[in-house]
Amino acid sequence: MDDLERTLERDSPVHDSVGWENVPPPLGAVLSVRFDMGVVGRLARLAGATGRTPSGLIRDWTLERLAALERTENSHLRRIREGPESYRADGPYEELRARYRPPEVRLLLVGESRPAGGAFFYRADSRLFFAVREAFGRALGPVPAGEAFLTFFQRHGAWLYDMAASPVNRRRGRPRTAAVAARVGDLTRVLEDSPAAQVVAIKRDLEAPVRRAMDMARAPVDRLVVLPFPLYQWREVFVSGLAAVVIDMVSGRNKAPQPVRRNRETGSSARARKGARDE
């Protein structure tokens, strides 16, 4: 056993004088995973940025992924690594999205596209779903889980619209940009139908096309908030920022909260914008 293995064994939550795999009864079951020190350092930095422990971070990632897998059918799992061309904009995804559209949209979240891997916000199994639910819980107190939250989300006048008609997160460059730009007119019509909506663009790169649509719809630009996609260290920025928007919406204030609004200051919002560029 080398020094690294000794260090990992000593620091393991299930290690005792008897041996590595002797799990104390109160823990029930513990999975121990070994990483090299470089990975451990990166996990520690990400965990610190999101207010979690490294083990909590890994647990959250694992539980979110398992929840996504448990909600998909076996036939869907066989396609989980396929590219964007496997999905159709006029398929069940958009039918499901339309089903949860509220009569009056008060909070419009604008995403880039649904993930190519098959998870979907309106199936209650995507990374974005879990982050949005956490934000609503932080703003409003206990909220329902799973599909029940989608009804709760709709009842509060909230809706998610994706700019691209099909997944683009595995594309780069002009094809990705063009897929978003192609739906600016569609977003304009959504905004025209929702003149009082607070708009949240979920990714820095979406700010320009969303602003174009808002200009075309003559929507007040001070109702636009730009947040990073809730990935890694930017998850907390997204959750806290969206929670502030929800609190303002519920209290009747339409002005976007200053800490997360379009800005050029230094600090967490600036870091979020930089991180969203690389998502």
Side-chain angles (χ1 to χ4, degrees):
M1 179 181 295
D2 58 26
D3 291 341
L4 174 59
E5 289 179 328
R6 290 190 185 92
T7 300
L8 292 172
E9 180 176 15
R10 185 181 63 251
D11 293 341
S12 169
V14 299
H15 175 65
D16 61 20
S17 58
V18 177
W20 180 276
E21 300 295 344
N22 187 13
V23 181
L27 294 179
V30 173
L31 296 178
S32 183
V33 182
R34 303 185 187 191
F35 298 107
D36 64 47
M37 298 309 292
V39 172
V40 170
R42 290 194 293 274
L43 283 172
R45 289 193 294 274
L46 290 175
T50 57
R52 288 176 282 182
T53 63
S55 60
L57 183 69
I58 295 171
R59 180 196 63 227
D60 291 347
W61 285 348
T62 302
L63 291 177
E64 288 183 11
R65 188 56 180 162
L66 286 174
L69 292 176
E70 287 171 359
R71 294 188 55 81
T72 52
E73 299 176 353
N74 290 336
S75 60
H76 181 68
L77 288 175
R78 288 195 295 270
R79 300 196 305 271
I80 199 163
R81 298 187 63 85
E82 293 186 6
E85 56 277 4
S86 300
Y87 305 94
R88 297 181 298 114
D90 59 348
Y93 295 97
E94 296 310 310
E95 294 173 4
L96 194 56
R97 189 197 308 277
R99 184 189 310 168
Y100 284 103
R101 181 171 180 170
E104 179 186 0
V105 179
R106 298 177 57 212
L107 174 61
L108 180 65
L109 305 185
V110 182
E112 185 179 41
S113 76
R114 64 182 182 273
F120 184 42
F121 181 89
Y122 282 106
R123 282 182 171 174
D125 63 3
S126 71
R127 186 188 303 273
L128 181 59
F129 170 83
F130 291 110
V132 168
R133 179 177 177 272
E134 182 177 342
F136 268 71
R138 191 173 298 185
L140 305 177
V143 297
E147 292 181 1
F149 175 75
L150 296 175
T151 301
F152 178 88
F153 187 69
Q154 179 188 38
R155 195 164 60 243
H156 279 76
W159 194 50
L160 171 70
Y161 178 84
D162 285 325
M163 289 294 296
S166 60
V168 298
N169 56 305
R170 292 179 182 170
R171 300 182 185 181
R172 295 292 181 269
R174 290 185 179 180
R176 188 168 186 164
T177 303
V180 169
R183 296 244 288 185
V184 168
D186 292 339
L187 177 59
T188 299
R189 288 186 284 275
V190 171
L191 291 165
E192 289 173 341
D193 291 339
S194 312
Q198 168 73 58
V199 182
V200 177
I202 308 172
K203 195 182 178 190
R204 187 198 65 84
D205 291 346
L206 294 184
E207 179 176 357
V210 172
R211 283 179 64 84
R212 284 200 302 273
M214 293 182 75
D215 288 340
M216 293 167 64
R218 298 184 179 180
V221 294
D222 66 348
R223 291 182 181 165
L224 173 62
V225 172
V226 181
L227 295 176
F229 187 84
L231 187 69
Y232 306 135
Q233 65 264 43
W234 300 287
R235 178 187 172 94
E236 174 58 28
V237 178
F238 173 87
V239 171
S240 60
L242 182 58
V245 171
V246 173
I247 290 171
D248 271 7
M249 182 184 71
V250 170
S251 67
R253 298 193 299 268
N254 288 327
K255 187 176 180 180
Q258 188 66 29
V260 296
R261 209 173 74 183
R262 297 177 55 248
N263 69 87
R264 291 173 176 81
E265 300 92 3
T266 57
S268 61
S269 289
R271 288 195 298 273
R273 290 162 63 85
K274 181 180 183 300
R277 185 183 307 121
D278 300 326
E279 189 273 323

